Amino acid sequence: MFPELNEFLRCKTPAAWVDVALQNQDVMLIDHGNCEKKAAGAAFQLMFRYVDRPDLQHKMSRLAREELRHFEQVLSLIRKRGIELRNVGSSRYAAGLRELGRNHGPYRLTDTLVIGAFIEARSCERFAMLVPHLDEELGRFYHGLLKSEARHFQDYLKLAVQANGGPEDERVADFMAIEQKLIEEPDSEFRFHSGPLVN
């Protein structure tokens, strides 16, 4: 794993989540594909909303292309494994983070980028947790995603600092607390970013 990423996340994914993920790999892959599409869409939204920021334009364009490529790779795995595509609702994770986000002035961009950093960091951490337990093909694929997800996390964080005119450590700490709660509290349905299932 990546030390900077580990320091950013306040908690590890519960082992109980990993156990459920391994038992529900069809849902895991479908929801993972959904997450890749949403990540590309979020990058496009930022590009259209903040056209006057060349660094953001460059990094989000690259990120969107990579996320769509990852979606295509997940879709290929889904088809190869004979998994039937179906609607899988979103977890409360991203929405829970966005509840803390400010929707006014220059703070909107900073908070949106910080939320993006958390989503990418947690995705990377979960891929790393899963890799040792997966079959060779899926394990190799998820291991191959680690570097790009870590880079996406770093890009979001750098852009957030740039948008804010410097670090906003207290604000990041607020999101850390919410993110930890979303990861550790039980959920009723398994998703890629859910907490452990209710017993």
Side-chain angles (χ1 to χ4, degrees), residues 17-18 20-35 74 78 81 83 86 88 126-127 130-131 134-135 138-139 141-142 190-193:
W17 179 89
V18 176
V20 174
L22 295 173
Q23 296 165 18
N24 294 274
Q25 292 187 37
D26 57 339
V27 176
M28 180 182 74
L29 283 167
I30 293 169
D31 196 42
H32 176 193
N34 289 340
C35 290
V74 174
I78 287 171
R81 290 166 185 244
I83 297 170
R86 58 191 185 277
V88 171
R126 292 210 155 170
F127 290 141
L130 287 164
V131 165
L134 297 170
D135 63 76
L138 189 52
F141 172 55
Y142 275 10
F190 166 76
R191 295 291 183 268
F192 193 81
H193 287 106

PDB file of all heavy atoms in Angstrom, residues 17-18 20-35 74 78 81 83 86 88 126-127 130-131 134-135 138-139 141-142 190-193:
ATOM      1  N   TRP A  17     -16.311  -7.094   5.822  1.00  0.00           N
ATOM      2  CA  TRP A  17     -16.687  -6.627   4.483  1.00  0.00           C
ATOM      3  C   TRP A  17     -15.999  -7.479   3.416  1.00  0.00           C
ATOM      4  O   TRP A  17     -16.618  -7.863   2.420  1.00  0.00           O
ATOM      5  CB  TRP A  17     -16.324  -5.157   4.289  1.00  0.00           C
ATOM      6  CG  TRP A  17     -16.687  -4.671   2.910  1.00  0.00           C
ATOM      7  CD1 TRP A  17     -17.876  -4.131   2.518  1.00  0.00           C
ATOM      8  CD2 TRP A  17     -15.877  -4.744   1.729  1.00  0.00           C
ATOM      9  NE1 TRP A  17     -17.853  -3.851   1.162  1.00  0.00           N
ATOM     10  CE2 TRP A  17     -16.633  -4.216   0.653  1.00  0.00           C
ATOM     11  CE3 TRP A  17     -14.584  -5.204   1.467  1.00  0.00           C
ATOM     12  CZ2 TRP A  17     -16.136  -4.133  -0.645  1.00  0.00           C
ATOM     13  CZ3 TRP A  17     -14.082  -5.126   0.170  1.00  0.00           C
ATOM     14  CH2 TRP A  17     -14.857  -4.591  -0.874  1.00  0.00           C
ATOM     15  N   VAL A  18     -14.730  -7.790   3.620  1.00  0.00           N
ATOM     16  CA  VAL A  18     -13.980  -8.603   2.665  1.00  0.00           C
ATOM     17  C   VAL A  18     -14.635  -9.973   2.517  1.00  0.00           C
ATOM     18  O   VAL A  18     -14.802 -10.484   1.404  1.00  0.00           O
ATOM     19  CB  VAL A  18     -12.503  -8.746   3.091  1.00  0.00           C
ATOM     20  CG1 VAL A  18     -11.751  -9.672   2.144  1.00  0.00           C
ATOM     21  CG2 VAL A  18     -11.830  -7.375   3.146  1.00  0.00           C
ATOM     22  N   VAL A  20     -17.758 -10.828   2.941  1.00  0.00           N
ATOM     23  CA  VAL A  20     -19.010 -10.725   2.183  1.00  0.00           C
ATOM     24  C   VAL A  20     -18.713 -10.452   0.712  1.00  0.00           C
ATOM     25  O   VAL A  20     -19.389 -10.983  -0.179  1.00  0.00           O
ATOM     26  CB  VAL A  20     -19.921  -9.633   2.785  1.00  0.00           C
ATOM     27  CG1 VAL A  20     -21.154  -9.411   1.919  1.00  0.00           C
ATOM     28  CG2 VAL A  20     -20.340 -10.012   4.196  1.00  0.00           C
ATOM     29  N   ALA A  21     -17.707  -9.633   0.427  1.00  0.00           N
ATOM     30  CA  ALA A  21     -17.346  -9.337  -0.962  1.00  0.00           C
ATOM     31  C   ALA A  21     -16.960 -10.608  -1.709  1.00  0.00           C
ATOM     32  O   ALA A  21     -17.360 -10.818  -2.858  1.00  0.00           O
ATOM     33  CB  ALA A  21     -16.195  -8.332  -0.995  1.00  0.00           C
ATOM     34  N   LEU A  22     -16.206 -11.472  -1.061  1.00  0.00           N
ATOM     35  CA  LEU A  22     -15.769 -12.709  -1.701  1.00  0.00           C
ATOM     36  C   LEU A  22     -16.937 -13.650  -1.973  1.00  0.00           C
ATOM     37  O   LEU A  22     -16.902 -14.435  -2.927  1.00  0.00           O
ATOM     38  CB  LEU A  22     -14.727 -13.408  -0.822  1.00  0.00           C
ATOM     39  CG  LEU A  22     -13.414 -12.628  -0.638  1.00  0.00           C
ATOM     40  CD1 LEU A  22     -12.514 -13.324   0.383  1.00  0.00           C
ATOM     41  CD2 LEU A  22     -12.682 -12.446  -1.965  1.00  0.00           C
ATOM     42  N   GLN A  23     -17.988 -13.543  -1.175  1.00  0.00           N
ATOM     43  CA  GLN A  23     -19.173 -14.379  -1.366  1.00  0.00           C
ATOM     44  C   GLN A  23     -20.154 -13.775  -2.376  1.00  0.00           C
ATOM     45  O   GLN A  23     -21.102 -14.432  -2.792  1.00  0.00           O
ATOM     46  CB  GLN A  23     -19.897 -14.557  -0.021  1.00  0.00           C
ATOM     47  CG  GLN A  23     -19.077 -15.306   1.019  1.00  0.00           C
ATOM     48  CD  GLN A  23     -19.652 -15.159   2.418  1.00  0.00           C
ATOM     49  OE1 GLN A  23     -20.815 -14.788   2.592  1.00  0.00           O
ATOM     50  NE2 GLN A  23     -18.832 -15.426   3.425  1.00  0.00           N
ATOM     51  N   ASN A  24     -19.924 -12.513  -2.754  1.00  0.00           N
ATOM     52  CA  ASN A  24     -20.851 -11.804  -3.654  1.00  0.00           C
ATOM     53  C   ASN A  24     -20.080 -11.105  -4.775  1.00  0.00           C
ATOM     54  O   ASN A  24     -20.268  -9.918  -5.034  1.00  0.00           O
ATOM     55  CB  ASN A  24     -21.669 -10.775  -2.865  1.00  0.00           C
ATOM     56  CG  ASN A  24     -22.601 -11.413  -1.867  1.00  0.00           C
ATOM     57  OD1 ASN A  24     -23.727 -11.782  -2.194  1.00  0.00           O
ATOM     58  ND2 ASN A  24     -22.137 -11.540  -0.637  1.00  0.00           N
ATOM     59  N   GLN A  25     -19.239 -11.871  -5.456  1.00  0.00           N
ATOM     60  CA  GLN A  25     -18.374 -11.256  -6.455  1.00  0.00           C
ATOM     61  C   GLN A  25     -19.150 -10.745  -7.669  1.00  0.00           C
ATOM     62  O   GLN A  25     -18.696  -9.834  -8.363  1.00  0.00           O
ATOM     63  CB  GLN A  25     -17.273 -12.228  -6.879  1.00  0.00           C
ATOM     64  CG  GLN A  25     -16.279 -12.491  -5.755  1.00  0.00           C
ATOM     65  CD  GLN A  25     -15.085 -13.311  -6.202  1.00  0.00           C
ATOM     66  OE1 GLN A  25     -14.599 -13.161  -7.321  1.00  0.00           O
ATOM     67  NE2 GLN A  25     -14.608 -14.189  -5.331  1.00  0.00           N
ATOM     68  N   ASP A  26     -20.331 -11.300  -7.928  1.00  0.00           N
ATOM     69  CA  ASP A  26     -21.146 -10.782  -9.028  1.00  0.00           C
ATOM     70  C   ASP A  26     -21.594  -9.354  -8.732  1.00  0.00           C
ATOM     71  O   ASP A  26     -21.439  -8.452  -9.561  1.00  0.00           O
ATOM     72  CB  ASP A  26     -22.338 -11.691  -9.306  1.00  0.00           C
ATOM     73  CG  ASP A  26     -23.233 -11.915  -8.088  1.00  0.00           C
ATOM     74  OD1 ASP A  26     -22.763 -11.711  -6.941  1.00  0.00           O
ATOM     75  OD2 ASP A  26     -24.405 -12.288  -8.280  1.00  0.00           O
ATOM     76  N   VAL A  27     -22.128  -9.134  -7.532  1.00  0.00           N
ATOM     77  CA  VAL A  27     -22.553  -7.786  -7.134  1.00  0.00           C
ATOM     78  C   VAL A  27     -21.350  -6.852  -7.047  1.00  0.00           C
ATOM     79  O   VAL A  27     -21.418  -5.689  -7.459  1.00  0.00           O
ATOM     80  CB  VAL A  27     -23.310  -7.822  -5.785  1.00  0.00           C
ATOM     81  CG1 VAL A  27     -23.667  -6.412  -5.325  1.00  0.00           C
ATOM     82  CG2 VAL A  27     -24.562  -8.677  -5.894  1.00  0.00           C
ATOM     83  N   MET A  28     -20.245  -7.370  -6.526  1.00  0.00           N
ATOM     84  CA  MET A  28     -19.027  -6.565  -6.409  1.00  0.00           C
ATOM     85  C   MET A  28     -18.591  -6.035  -7.770  1.00  0.00           C
ATOM     86  O   MET A  28     -18.290  -4.843  -7.924  1.00  0.00           O
ATOM     87  CB  MET A  28     -17.904  -7.385  -5.781  1.00  0.00           C
ATOM     88  CG  MET A  28     -16.599  -6.620  -5.613  1.00  0.00           C
ATOM     89  SD  MET A  28     -15.274  -7.639  -4.917  1.00  0.00           S
ATOM     90  CE  MET A  28     -14.848  -8.670  -6.345  1.00  0.00           C
ATOM     91  N   LEU A  29     -18.580  -6.901  -8.787  1.00  0.00           N
ATOM     92  CA  LEU A  29     -18.135  -6.484 -10.102  1.00  0.00           C
ATOM     93  C   LEU A  29     -19.129  -5.523 -10.761  1.00  0.00           C
ATOM     94  O   LEU A  29     -18.725  -4.530 -11.383  1.00  0.00           O
ATOM     95  CB  LEU A  29     -17.912  -7.703 -10.991  1.00  0.00           C
ATOM     96  CG  LEU A  29     -16.616  -8.470 -10.710  1.00  0.00           C
ATOM     97  CD1 LEU A  29     -16.634  -9.831 -11.397  1.00  0.00           C
ATOM     98  CD2 LEU A  29     -15.405  -7.666 -11.157  1.00  0.00           C
ATOM     99  N   ILE A  30     -20.423  -5.792 -10.619  1.00  0.00           N
ATOM    100  CA  ILE A  30     -21.426  -4.891 -11.192  1.00  0.00           C
ATOM    101  C   ILE A  30     -21.317  -3.508 -10.557  1.00  0.00           C
ATOM    102  O   ILE A  30     -21.307  -2.480 -11.245  1.00  0.00           O
ATOM    103  CB  ILE A  30     -22.846  -5.467 -11.028  1.00  0.00           C
ATOM    104  CG1 ILE A  30     -23.014  -6.724 -11.888  1.00  0.00           C
ATOM    105  CG2 ILE A  30     -23.900  -4.423 -11.409  1.00  0.00           C
ATOM    106  CD1 ILE A  30     -24.288  -7.498 -11.599  1.00  0.00           C
ATOM    107  N   ASP A  31     -21.221  -3.470  -9.227  1.00  0.00           N
ATOM    108  CA  ASP A  31     -21.137  -2.182  -8.542  1.00  0.00           C
ATOM    109  C   ASP A  31     -19.807  -1.497  -8.817  1.00  0.00           C
ATOM    110  O   ASP A  31     -19.745  -0.269  -8.932  1.00  0.00           O
ATOM    111  CB  ASP A  31     -21.347  -2.366  -7.038  1.00  0.00           C
ATOM    112  CG  ASP A  31     -21.662  -1.051  -6.345  1.00  0.00           C
ATOM    113  OD1 ASP A  31     -22.445  -0.256  -6.914  1.00  0.00           O
ATOM    114  OD2 ASP A  31     -21.123  -0.797  -5.258  1.00  0.00           O
ATOM    115  N   HIS A  32     -18.739  -2.287  -8.931  1.00  0.00           N
ATOM    116  CA  HIS A  32     -17.451  -1.706  -9.299  1.00  0.00           C
ATOM    117  C   HIS A  32     -17.560  -1.021 -10.654  1.00  0.00           C
ATOM    118  O   HIS A  32     -17.083   0.108 -10.848  1.00  0.00           O
ATOM    119  CB  HIS A  32     -16.373  -2.796  -9.321  1.00  0.00           C
ATOM    120  CG  HIS A  32     -15.044  -2.318  -9.788  1.00  0.00           C
ATOM    121  ND1 HIS A  32     -14.028  -3.178 -10.132  1.00  0.00           N
ATOM    122  CD2 HIS A  32     -14.545  -1.074 -10.005  1.00  0.00           C
ATOM    123  CE1 HIS A  32     -12.971  -2.483 -10.520  1.00  0.00           C
ATOM    124  NE2 HIS A  32     -13.266  -1.199 -10.461  1.00  0.00           N
ATOM    125  N   GLY A  33     -18.200  -1.673 -11.609  1.00  0.00           N
ATOM    126  CA  GLY A  33     -18.408  -1.054 -12.912  1.00  0.00           C
ATOM    127  C   GLY A  33     -19.191   0.247 -12.807  1.00  0.00           C
ATOM    128  O   GLY A  33     -18.846   1.253 -13.443  1.00  0.00           O
ATOM    129  N   ASN A  34     -20.226   0.246 -11.979  1.00  0.00           N
ATOM    130  CA  ASN A  34     -20.999   1.471 -11.756  1.00  0.00           C
ATOM    131  C   ASN A  34     -20.125   2.576 -11.191  1.00  0.00           C
ATOM    132  O   ASN A  34     -20.241   3.748 -11.575  1.00  0.00           O
ATOM    133  CB  ASN A  34     -22.173   1.196 -10.811  1.00  0.00           C
ATOM    134  CG  ASN A  34     -23.256   0.362 -11.447  1.00  0.00           C
ATOM    135  OD1 ASN A  34     -23.347   0.264 -12.670  1.00  0.00           O
ATOM    136  ND2 ASN A  34     -24.084  -0.264 -10.624  1.00  0.00           N
ATOM    137  N   CYS A  35     -19.250   2.214 -10.260  1.00  0.00           N
ATOM    138  CA  CYS A  35     -18.360   3.198  -9.641  1.00  0.00           C
ATOM    139  C   CYS A  35     -17.417   3.812 -10.667  1.00  0.00           C
ATOM    140  O   CYS A  35     -17.143   5.021 -10.624  1.00  0.00           O
ATOM    141  CB  CYS A  35     -17.555   2.553  -8.513  1.00  0.00           C
ATOM    142  SG  CYS A  35     -18.518   2.105  -7.056  1.00  0.00           S
ATOM    143  N   VAL A  74     -13.871  -4.024 -16.560  1.00  0.00           N
ATOM    144  CA  VAL A  74     -14.806  -4.691 -15.643  1.00  0.00           C
ATOM    145  C   VAL A  74     -15.931  -5.347 -16.437  1.00  0.00           C
ATOM    146  O   VAL A  74     -16.318  -6.491 -16.169  1.00  0.00           O
ATOM    147  CB  VAL A  74     -15.376  -3.694 -14.609  1.00  0.00           C
ATOM    148  CG1 VAL A  74     -16.456  -4.362 -13.756  1.00  0.00           C
ATOM    149  CG2 VAL A  74     -14.275  -3.159 -13.710  1.00  0.00           C
ATOM    150  N   ILE A  78     -17.147  -9.232 -16.459  1.00  0.00           N
ATOM    151  CA  ILE A  78     -18.530  -9.608 -16.169  1.00  0.00           C
ATOM    152  C   ILE A  78     -19.069 -10.542 -17.260  1.00  0.00           C
ATOM    153  O   ILE A  78     -19.679 -11.576 -16.973  1.00  0.00           O
ATOM    154  CB  ILE A  78     -19.406  -8.343 -16.033  1.00  0.00           C
ATOM    155  CG1 ILE A  78     -19.086  -7.633 -14.706  1.00  0.00           C
ATOM    156  CG2 ILE A  78     -20.895  -8.686 -16.127  1.00  0.00           C
ATOM    157  CD1 ILE A  78     -19.733  -6.270 -14.565  1.00  0.00           C
ATOM    158  N   ARG A  81     -17.406 -14.025 -17.252  1.00  0.00           N
ATOM    159  CA  ARG A  81     -17.821 -14.870 -16.136  1.00  0.00           C
ATOM    160  C   ARG A  81     -19.305 -15.206 -16.181  1.00  0.00           C
ATOM    161  O   ARG A  81     -19.820 -15.853 -15.259  1.00  0.00           O
ATOM    162  CB  ARG A  81     -17.457 -14.186 -14.815  1.00  0.00           C
ATOM    163  CG  ARG A  81     -15.948 -14.162 -14.601  1.00  0.00           C
ATOM    164  CD  ARG A  81     -15.484 -13.214 -13.501  1.00  0.00           C
ATOM    165  NE  ARG A  81     -14.024 -13.214 -13.494  1.00  0.00           N
ATOM    166  CZ  ARG A  81     -13.266 -13.641 -12.473  1.00  0.00           C
ATOM    167  NH1 ARG A  81     -13.831 -14.074 -11.358  1.00  0.00           N
ATOM    168  NH2 ARG A  81     -11.950 -13.612 -12.559  1.00  0.00           N
ATOM    169  N   ILE A  83     -21.901 -13.312 -15.814  1.00  0.00           N
ATOM    170  CA  ILE A  83     -22.700 -12.595 -14.817  1.00  0.00           C
ATOM    171  C   ILE A  83     -23.754 -11.768 -15.536  1.00  0.00           C
ATOM    172  O   ILE A  83     -23.455 -11.039 -16.489  1.00  0.00           O
ATOM    173  CB  ILE A  83     -21.806 -11.685 -13.947  1.00  0.00           C
ATOM    174  CG1 ILE A  83     -20.796 -12.537 -13.162  1.00  0.00           C
ATOM    175  CG2 ILE A  83     -22.648 -10.845 -12.992  1.00  0.00           C
ATOM    176  CD1 ILE A  83     -19.717 -11.728 -12.469  1.00  0.00           C
ATOM    177  N   ARG A  86     -27.492  -6.232 -14.153  1.00  0.00           N
ATOM    178  CA  ARG A  86     -28.759  -5.806 -13.578  1.00  0.00           C
ATOM    179  C   ARG A  86     -28.545  -4.512 -12.795  1.00  0.00           C
ATOM    180  O   ARG A  86     -27.412  -4.132 -12.507  1.00  0.00           O
ATOM    181  CB  ARG A  86     -29.333  -6.890 -12.648  1.00  0.00           C
ATOM    182  CG  ARG A  86     -28.410  -7.281 -11.503  1.00  0.00           C
ATOM    183  CD  ARG A  86     -28.923  -8.528 -10.819  1.00  0.00           C
ATOM    184  NE  ARG A  86     -28.156  -8.908  -9.640  1.00  0.00           N
ATOM    185  CZ  ARG A  86     -27.031  -9.616  -9.671  1.00  0.00           C
ATOM    186  NH1 ARG A  86     -26.529 -10.020 -10.832  1.00  0.00           N
ATOM    187  NH2 ARG A  86     -26.398  -9.936  -8.554  1.00  0.00           N
ATOM    188  N   VAL A  88     -28.123  -2.258  -9.804  1.00  0.00           N
ATOM    189  CA  VAL A  88     -27.658  -2.386  -8.416  1.00  0.00           C
ATOM    190  C   VAL A  88     -27.643  -0.975  -7.839  1.00  0.00           C
ATOM    191  O   VAL A  88     -26.918  -0.108  -8.336  1.00  0.00           O
ATOM    192  CB  VAL A  88     -26.245  -3.022  -8.356  1.00  0.00           C
ATOM    193  CG1 VAL A  88     -25.680  -2.948  -6.955  1.00  0.00           C
ATOM    194  CG2 VAL A  88     -26.284  -4.463  -8.840  1.00  0.00           C
ATOM    195  N   ARG A 126      -9.429  -0.881  -0.795  1.00  0.00           N
ATOM    196  CA  ARG A 126     -10.256  -2.093  -0.902  1.00  0.00           C
ATOM    197  C   ARG A 126      -9.708  -3.052  -1.958  1.00  0.00           C
ATOM    198  O   ARG A 126      -9.729  -4.268  -1.747  1.00  0.00           O
ATOM    199  CB  ARG A 126     -11.711  -1.721  -1.184  1.00  0.00           C
ATOM    200  CG  ARG A 126     -12.337  -1.023   0.022  1.00  0.00           C
ATOM    201  CD  ARG A 126     -13.795  -1.239   0.183  1.00  0.00           C
ATOM    202  NE  ARG A 126     -14.135  -1.055   1.593  1.00  0.00           N
ATOM    203  CZ  ARG A 126     -15.363  -0.980   2.060  1.00  0.00           C
ATOM    204  NH1 ARG A 126     -16.398  -1.079   1.249  1.00  0.00           N
ATOM    205  NH2 ARG A 126     -15.574  -0.844   3.354  1.00  0.00           N
ATOM    206  N   PHE A 127      -9.205  -2.529  -3.059  1.00  0.00           N
ATOM    207  CA  PHE A 127      -8.570  -3.399  -4.038  1.00  0.00           C
ATOM    208  C   PHE A 127      -7.418  -4.160  -3.382  1.00  0.00           C
ATOM    209  O   PHE A 127      -7.269  -5.367  -3.573  1.00  0.00           O
ATOM    210  CB  PHE A 127      -8.036  -2.595  -5.226  1.00  0.00           C
ATOM    211  CG  PHE A 127      -9.104  -2.015  -6.111  1.00  0.00           C
ATOM    212  CD1 PHE A 127      -8.961  -0.743  -6.644  1.00  0.00           C
ATOM    213  CD2 PHE A 127     -10.240  -2.736  -6.439  1.00  0.00           C
ATOM    214  CE1 PHE A 127      -9.935  -0.196  -7.463  1.00  0.00           C
ATOM    215  CE2 PHE A 127     -11.225  -2.201  -7.264  1.00  0.00           C
ATOM    216  CZ  PHE A 127     -11.059  -0.923  -7.774  1.00  0.00           C
ATOM    217  N   LEU A 130      -8.583  -6.969  -1.165  1.00  0.00           N
ATOM    218  CA  LEU A 130      -9.194  -8.092  -1.870  1.00  0.00           C
ATOM    219  C   LEU A 130      -8.186  -8.966  -2.615  1.00  0.00           C
ATOM    220  O   LEU A 130      -8.369 -10.184  -2.705  1.00  0.00           O
ATOM    221  CB  LEU A 130     -10.229  -7.567  -2.877  1.00  0.00           C
ATOM    222  CG  LEU A 130     -11.537  -7.034  -2.292  1.00  0.00           C
ATOM    223  CD1 LEU A 130     -12.284  -6.211  -3.328  1.00  0.00           C
ATOM    224  CD2 LEU A 130     -12.415  -8.180  -1.784  1.00  0.00           C
ATOM    225  N   VAL A 131      -7.145  -8.340  -3.158  1.00  0.00           N
ATOM    226  CA  VAL A 131      -6.220  -9.030  -4.070  1.00  0.00           C
ATOM    227  C   VAL A 131      -5.744 -10.388  -3.563  1.00  0.00           C
ATOM    228  O   VAL A 131      -5.773 -11.380  -4.314  1.00  0.00           O
ATOM    229  CB  VAL A 131      -5.024  -8.118  -4.432  1.00  0.00           C
ATOM    230  CG1 VAL A 131      -3.885  -8.919  -5.049  1.00  0.00           C
ATOM    231  CG2 VAL A 131      -5.470  -7.024  -5.390  1.00  0.00           C
ATOM    232  N   LEU A 134      -8.480 -13.304  -4.152  1.00  0.00           N
ATOM    233  CA  LEU A 134      -9.191 -13.479  -5.416  1.00  0.00           C
ATOM    234  C   LEU A 134      -8.520 -14.508  -6.310  1.00  0.00           C
ATOM    235  O   LEU A 134      -7.355 -14.854  -6.109  1.00  0.00           O
ATOM    236  CB  LEU A 134      -9.255 -12.131  -6.152  1.00  0.00           C
ATOM    237  CG  LEU A 134     -10.033 -11.017  -5.441  1.00  0.00           C
ATOM    238  CD1 LEU A 134      -9.803  -9.689  -6.156  1.00  0.00           C
ATOM    239  CD2 LEU A 134     -11.525 -11.339  -5.362  1.00  0.00           C
ATOM    240  N   ASP A 135      -9.248 -14.995  -7.291  1.00  0.00           N
ATOM    241  CA  ASP A 135      -8.635 -15.881  -8.291  1.00  0.00           C
ATOM    242  C   ASP A 135      -7.583 -15.100  -9.068  1.00  0.00           C
ATOM    243  O   ASP A 135      -7.528 -13.867  -9.023  1.00  0.00           O
ATOM    244  CB  ASP A 135      -9.703 -16.463  -9.221  1.00  0.00           C
ATOM    245  CG  ASP A 135     -10.426 -15.389 -10.034  1.00  0.00           C
ATOM    246  OD1 ASP A 135      -9.843 -14.873 -11.000  1.00  0.00           O
ATOM    247  OD2 ASP A 135     -11.573 -15.049  -9.670  1.00  0.00           O
ATOM    248  N   LEU A 138      -8.799 -12.109 -11.607  1.00  0.00           N
ATOM    249  CA  LEU A 138      -9.367 -10.933 -10.963  1.00  0.00           C
ATOM    250  C   LEU A 138      -8.346 -10.277 -10.033  1.00  0.00           C
ATOM    251  O   LEU A 138      -8.271  -9.043  -9.948  1.00  0.00           O
ATOM    252  CB  LEU A 138     -10.635 -11.313 -10.193  1.00  0.00           C
ATOM    253  CG  LEU A 138     -11.480 -10.163  -9.630  1.00  0.00           C
ATOM    254  CD1 LEU A 138     -11.812  -9.137 -10.714  1.00  0.00           C
ATOM    255  CD2 LEU A 138     -12.761 -10.705  -8.989  1.00  0.00           C
ATOM    256  N   GLY A 139      -7.552 -11.098  -9.349  1.00  0.00           N
ATOM    257  CA  GLY A 139      -6.515 -10.558  -8.477  1.00  0.00           C
ATOM    258  C   GLY A 139      -5.495  -9.745  -9.254  1.00  0.00           C
ATOM    259  O   GLY A 139      -5.067  -8.670  -8.819  1.00  0.00           O
ATOM    260  N   PHE A 141      -6.023  -8.219 -12.119  1.00  0.00           N
ATOM    261  CA  PHE A 141      -6.693  -7.005 -12.577  1.00  0.00           C
ATOM    262  C   PHE A 141      -6.757  -5.960 -11.464  1.00  0.00           C
ATOM    263  O   PHE A 141      -6.392  -4.798 -11.656  1.00  0.00           O
ATOM    264  CB  PHE A 141      -8.093  -7.333 -13.084  1.00  0.00           C
ATOM    265  CG  PHE A 141      -8.931  -6.131 -13.407  1.00  0.00           C
ATOM    266  CD1 PHE A 141      -8.477  -5.164 -14.303  1.00  0.00           C
ATOM    267  CD2 PHE A 141     -10.182  -5.973 -12.819  1.00  0.00           C
ATOM    268  CE1 PHE A 141      -9.261  -4.046 -14.591  1.00  0.00           C
ATOM    269  CE2 PHE A 141     -10.956  -4.868 -13.116  1.00  0.00           C
ATOM    270  CZ  PHE A 141     -10.500  -3.905 -14.000  1.00  0.00           C
ATOM    271  N   TYR A 142      -7.205  -6.380 -10.280  1.00  0.00           N
ATOM    272  CA  TYR A 142      -7.322  -5.432  -9.172  1.00  0.00           C
ATOM    273  C   TYR A 142      -5.952  -4.915  -8.727  1.00  0.00           C
ATOM    274  O   TYR A 142      -5.804  -3.743  -8.378  1.00  0.00           O
ATOM    275  CB  TYR A 142      -8.085  -6.066  -8.006  1.00  0.00           C
ATOM    276  CG  TYR A 142      -9.597  -5.952  -8.146  1.00  0.00           C
ATOM    277  CD1 TYR A 142     -10.182  -5.522  -9.328  1.00  0.00           C
ATOM    278  CD2 TYR A 142     -10.442  -6.276  -7.092  1.00  0.00           C
ATOM    279  CE1 TYR A 142     -11.547  -5.409  -9.461  1.00  0.00           C
ATOM    280  CE2 TYR A 142     -11.821  -6.168  -7.210  1.00  0.00           C
ATOM    281  CZ  TYR A 142     -12.368  -5.733  -8.395  1.00  0.00           C
ATOM    282  OH  TYR A 142     -13.736  -5.604  -8.520  1.00  0.00           O
ATOM    283  N   PHE A 190     -24.850  -5.261   0.548  1.00  0.00           N
ATOM    284  CA  PHE A 190     -23.440  -5.210   0.173  1.00  0.00           C
ATOM    285  C   PHE A 190     -23.244  -4.372  -1.084  1.00  0.00           C
ATOM    286  O   PHE A 190     -23.956  -4.526  -2.069  1.00  0.00           O
ATOM    287  CB  PHE A 190     -22.897  -6.617  -0.078  1.00  0.00           C
ATOM    288  CG  PHE A 190     -21.564  -6.606  -0.788  1.00  0.00           C
ATOM    289  CD1 PHE A 190     -20.414  -6.282  -0.091  1.00  0.00           C
ATOM    290  CD2 PHE A 190     -21.482  -6.853  -2.141  1.00  0.00           C
ATOM    291  CE1 PHE A 190     -19.190  -6.232  -0.742  1.00  0.00           C
ATOM    292  CE2 PHE A 190     -20.263  -6.818  -2.808  1.00  0.00           C
ATOM    293  CZ  PHE A 190     -19.117  -6.494  -2.095  1.00  0.00           C
ATOM    294  N   ARG A 191     -22.263  -3.474  -1.024  1.00  0.00           N
ATOM    295  CA  ARG A 191     -21.819  -2.713  -2.179  1.00  0.00           C
ATOM    296  C   ARG A 191     -20.311  -2.509  -2.069  1.00  0.00           C
ATOM    297  O   ARG A 191     -19.710  -2.740  -1.024  1.00  0.00           O
ATOM    298  CB  ARG A 191     -22.517  -1.332  -2.255  1.00  0.00           C
ATOM    299  CG  ARG A 191     -24.010  -1.410  -2.481  1.00  0.00           C
ATOM    300  CD  ARG A 191     -24.376  -1.920  -3.852  1.00  0.00           C
ATOM    301  NE  ARG A 191     -25.801  -1.923  -4.084  1.00  0.00           N
ATOM    302  CZ  ARG A 191     -26.616  -2.930  -3.848  1.00  0.00           C
ATOM    303  NH1 ARG A 191     -26.125  -4.069  -3.332  1.00  0.00           N
ATOM    304  NH2 ARG A 191     -27.910  -2.859  -4.102  1.00  0.00           N
ATOM    305  N   PHE A 192     -19.691  -2.044  -3.151  1.00  0.00           N
ATOM    306  CA  PHE A 192     -18.244  -1.890  -3.142  1.00  0.00           C
ATOM    307  C   PHE A 192     -17.784  -0.926  -2.057  1.00  0.00           C
ATOM    308  O   PHE A 192     -16.716  -1.090  -1.481  1.00  0.00           O
ATOM    309  CB  PHE A 192     -17.725  -1.432  -4.517  1.00  0.00           C
ATOM    310  CG  PHE A 192     -16.242  -1.558  -4.624  1.00  0.00           C
ATOM    311  CD1 PHE A 192     -15.646  -2.776  -4.907  1.00  0.00           C
ATOM    312  CD2 PHE A 192     -15.417  -0.464  -4.399  1.00  0.00           C
ATOM    313  CE1 PHE A 192     -14.267  -2.909  -4.973  1.00  0.00           C
ATOM    314  CE2 PHE A 192     -14.042  -0.576  -4.468  1.00  0.00           C
ATOM    315  CZ  PHE A 192     -13.455  -1.808  -4.750  1.00  0.00           C
ATOM    316  N   HIS A 193     -18.587   0.087  -1.742  1.00  0.00           N
ATOM    317  CA  HIS A 193     -18.203   1.042  -0.699  1.00  0.00           C
ATOM    318  C   HIS A 193     -19.099   0.946   0.535  1.00  0.00           C
ATOM    319  O   HIS A 193     -19.158   1.889   1.330  1.00  0.00           O
ATOM    320  CB  HIS A 193     -18.253   2.467  -1.253  1.00  0.00           C
ATOM    321  CG  HIS A 193     -17.142   2.784  -2.199  1.00  0.00           C
ATOM    322  ND1 HIS A 193     -17.323   2.885  -3.563  1.00  0.00           N
ATOM    323  CD2 HIS A 193     -15.821   2.992  -1.985  1.00  0.00           C
ATOM    324  CE1 HIS A 193     -16.181   3.177  -4.141  1.00  0.00           C
ATOM    325  NE2 HIS A 193     -15.243   3.224  -3.217  1.00  0.00           N
TER     326      HIS A 193
END
